[in-house]
Each structure stands twice: as C-alpha cells, then as structure tokens.
Amino acid sequence: GQDYRKAGKLEEAREMWEIALGMLVEESGEGDPVVTTVLVNIAVLLREQGKYKESQKKFERALEIEMKKLGENDPVVARNLNHIGDLLTLQSKHKEAMKRYKRALKIQLEKLGEQHHETATTFLRMGSVLKAQRKFERAEATFQNCLAIRQKILPPDHPDLAESYSALAVTFQCQQKVAEAIKMRKMSLASILKHRGEGHPSLVREYCSIGALLRDRGRLDEAETMLDKALEIGTAEHETCDVVMGGYTASAYENIAMVYLEQGRLQDAIDANGESLKMNRRLVGDEHPQTQVSIGLHRRYLEMLVEQRNRQN
C-alpha cells in the first residue's frame, strides 16, 4: 500500500490496505494493533482524495477500537481525536472540530503533561480553528501557548518553531499588527533557511507573506526583493507544485504587480498579474474566487493602460 501511495496511485493503495484490513480482522480480530494503523492509513488516504465522509468513518472506527482496548484517556485516543478534528476542520465544521481537540488536549495534559510536543500541536490546531472563526485574540493566545511549550522543549532553531511563528504572523496580520507579523515571518524564514535550505518550497509562503506585508507599509523596494525571491523558488517548481504552493506563487505575482503599479510600472504590473491569472486558472479553474480576483485586476490594469495611452495621445 505504501509503495502505491508514494507512486501517487491512491486507489491501488487503498485497495491493498482494504485487503490487508480484511485479512487482519479475519485472522486476529479487531484487537490486533495493526488493525487501527491500517484503518488510519486508509482514512488519511480518503481524506487526501476529498472523500471526507468515508474518511471519518474509518477514523471513528479506529477511535472506537482504541477506546475499547486502551480506555478513554490514552494518548493514542487523543491522536485519533485530533485526526477527526483535522478532518472536520477541512470541512469548516469548526465547533465539532474544537470539541475533538478539547477532548484530546484534556487527555494530553493529564497523561503527557503540558511540556510535551503533542500537547503543543493540539494547541496549534485549536488556534487554527479560532482563527478560522475570526476569534483572533483567543487564537493569538492559543498559538502563544503552543510556541511557549515548543520554546521550552525544543532547541532555539528547531524547524517546528517556524510553524508557530507562521501561525502567529497570520493572526497578527488579521489584527493589523503589521510590525509583529513581519517579525514572526522573518523568524519563520530564518528557521526554514537554516534547516531546509534556500530552495525549499515553504520559503515561497514566507517570502510572499513578508513581501505583501512590506508592500502594505509602503516599503516597495524591500517588498519587491522579497517577492522576487518567492517567485524565483515558486517558478522553478511551476509544473510540479501543489495547489497550496502554487497559490502562494500566484499570490507573489499578484503582489509584485501591485508593487510595480505603485512604482509607476504599469506594463510590468500587467505582465505579472497575467502570470498570476494563468497560474490560478491552471491550479483551481476559472470559477474559483481567487481566479476571479485575478481576472478583475487584469481588466482594471488593462483599462488603466488604455487610459494612459489616451492621455499620451
């Protein structure tokens, strides 16, 4: 199953795991520890395919087996609760997700203690839900809890800290705390550069985000430098990038177009926004809201070019 999954053959992987699951249950019963591992593998695969209802059934079955075997307050149970919470978050079922995360956190605090990496990650998950619910002050406090734990238990340059810095940066930005957001983004950037190198895809997100924040503050030259770096990495992976990384690359094109516009470089702005539009169309199609934004901006820039030429004539 794993070999098929690595090769991107998800249906074949699922079929192999389903066969293995049936054989395990028939031969050893649901108490076999491998049963829940296979169930979770199938559930994760289904989640990746967007088959959320089927995925949740597998996760719930794994949870039920673990609770019968280990009791309701075992850290393994907490992990399965978090899996279900993640699935619910993907479907924007935030209240239901938060219930699972709170149950998981209670178990982790009791069994693992506050200074544990799994406890920190559950705080991160809860913060993401609060952010999605636009409860930004509570999200910030929850992300700070995660960061505080990680800073105590991890080396100061550990790559997991970048995740916390990035999460806080988004929350600060939502609250118009631009200076704090830039600081967190730069800390995340430094961590990624040290541990993953200058060409790592996650740098596209950081360079793009810092560039956008600097543009908002009118620091156009600095913004252009950051966005150029995002595009250098993002365009190198243009044909193979996933929707998330591709989305940040498209956003970098869109933001650098705005920088060019403010610098009086209208044709460069049109060209850059055109690249953003092409990427969004390839990644998510014409009907996606972000593609519609790109289309609207492109029309506006073209109208400005016509107006500029009319004035010159």
Side-chain angles (χ1 to χ4, degrees), residues 220-233:
L220 301 182
D221 290 343
E222 294 172 76
E224 184 180 353
T225 299
M226 289 292 171
L227 293 165
D228 276 336
K229 288 180 178 179
L231 291 171
E232 182 181 350
I233 300 166

Side-chain angles (χ1 to χ4, degrees), residues 191-222:
S191 178
I192 296 167
L193 281 169
K194 179 166 184 176
H195 289 275
R196 295 176 179 172
E198 293 189 0
H200 195 272
S202 61
L203 290 170
V204 177
R205 176 193 65 215
E206 300 305 325
Y207 281 128
C208 177
S209 299
I210 294 170
L213 288 164
L214 291 168
R215 180 186 63 78
D216 286 343
R217 301 205 94 183
R219 293 159 63 178
L220 301 182
D221 290 343
E222 294 172 76

Side-chain angles (χ1 to χ4, degrees), residues 8 25 51 67 77 83 88 91 106 109 134 137 139 169 173 185-186 193 217 251 253 288 295 297:
V25 172
K51 299 176 180 179
M67 287 175 69
V77 171
H83 281 312
L88 292 165
Q91 300 170 80
K106 184 178 179 182
L109 287 170
R134 303 187 65 79
E137 289 186 4
Q173 190 172 355
R185 284 291 182 196
K186 286 185 174 180
L193 281 169
R217 301 205 94 183
S251 179
Y253 273 123
H288 193 276
I295 290 171
L297 285 170

Side-chain angles (χ1 to χ4, degrees), residues 144-161:
Q144 291 283 15
N145 285 338
C146 173
L147 178 60
I149 295 168
R150 286 178 167 176
Q151 286 176 326
K152 286 180 181 177
I153 65 175
L154 298 173
D157 55 358
H158 193 280
D160 281 359
L161 291 171

